[in-house]
Amino acid sequence: YIFGKYELAADIALKRQEVEKKMSRRTKYFGTSDFYDGLTFLAMARKTNDIKWVFLAKEAKASLENMNHDGNIHCKHRLLLFQAETKNLIGDAKEASHDYDLAIASAEEHGFIHEHAIANERAGDFYLRNNDPRASQHYGKAHALYLQWGAQGKSDNLSKNIPL
């Protein structure tokens, strides 16, 4: 997902889910799988306009919401980013922008550097699609956060592929 290979990420997520159905117990990893699966499925929905991806994304979101009710600090920023991406998908730019800001602030507040970077990158993509100059600010912040996290490859990939 992080490198924009959404088809591959979706294929892997679906295969993992099939394997997990056969297991007696599913490992939750604080909602990490559901978070990335959901973002992947929303990206596929945006790319293909296939409703199946929306249903899969809703399942992932429901799982994250269940974890959030337990007071899991790993979930608040993830749900906010998920909401922003959903609002983006349905064309609600004003609410999407607001939710991106909230997701970024929450990830920063709780010290999730990697997901702070992802939220900034997703906001950058959103603003770029909407011809908003804030895109460069968010891409720059994402680049710096990826470097801070130690993700040199992702940072290089972002620098190479952003059209700014």
Side-chain angles (χ1 to χ4, degrees):
Y1 171 82
I2 287 181
F3 285 93
K5 297 181 188 259
Y6 304 128
E7 294 88 354
L8 177 61
D11 185 49
I12 291 169
L14 293 173
K15 286 178 182 176
R16 191 199 72 255
Q17 288 179 353
E18 285 301 313
V19 169
E20 286 178 346
K21 286 178 185 175
K22 297 174 185 173
M23 297 172 66
S24 60
R25 182 174 75 115
R26 181 174 176 223
T27 307
K28 291 284 187 179
Y29 299 109
F30 302 108
T32 302
S33 294
D34 294 316
F35 174 62
Y36 288 104
D37 289 356
L39 291 179
T40 298
F41 298 151
L42 287 171
M44 290 299 294
R46 184 173 32 259
K47 185 172 186 172
T48 67
N49 292 318
D50 187 341
I51 195 73
K52 90 173 186 180
W53 299 114
V54 173
F55 288 118
L56 289 167
K58 284 182 180 180
E59 289 176 5
K61 182 181 180 195
S63 183
L64 275 176
E65 287 172 334
N66 286 338
M67 294 194 92
N68 192 49
H69 286 296
D70 296 335
N72 187 333
I73 66 163
H74 294 88
C75 292
K76 182 180 178 185
H77 65 282
R78 291 174 176 175
L79 277 170
L80 289 166
L81 181 56
F82 202 95
Q83 287 172 198
E85 290 284 279
T86 302
K87 302 272 175 60
N88 180 6
L89 181 66
I90 64 172
D92 188 348
K94 182 179 178 184
E95 286 298 315
S97 177
H98 177 71
D99 287 345
Y100 282 117
D101 290 344
L102 292 175
I104 289 165
S106 180
E108 180 177 28
E109 175 186 354
H110 292 102
F112 294 103
I113 296 169
H114 58 303
E115 290 170 354
H116 186 196
I118 292 167
N120 270 284
E121 182 179 3
R122 298 307 307 143
D125 288 347
F126 165 74
Y127 289 122
L128 182 65
R129 276 192 301 278
N130 288 285
N131 297 314
D132 188 313
R134 289 179 281 183
S136 62
Q137 170 192 345
H138 286 285
Y139 282 133
K141 183 70 173 174
H143 181 269
L145 287 164
Y146 284 128
L147 286 174
Q148 182 181 349
W149 182 39
Q152 182 70 51
K154 175 56 185 169
S155 180
D156 293 345
N157 177 269
L158 186 62
S159 294
K160 177 181 168 189
N161 291 308
I162 58 171
L164 301 174

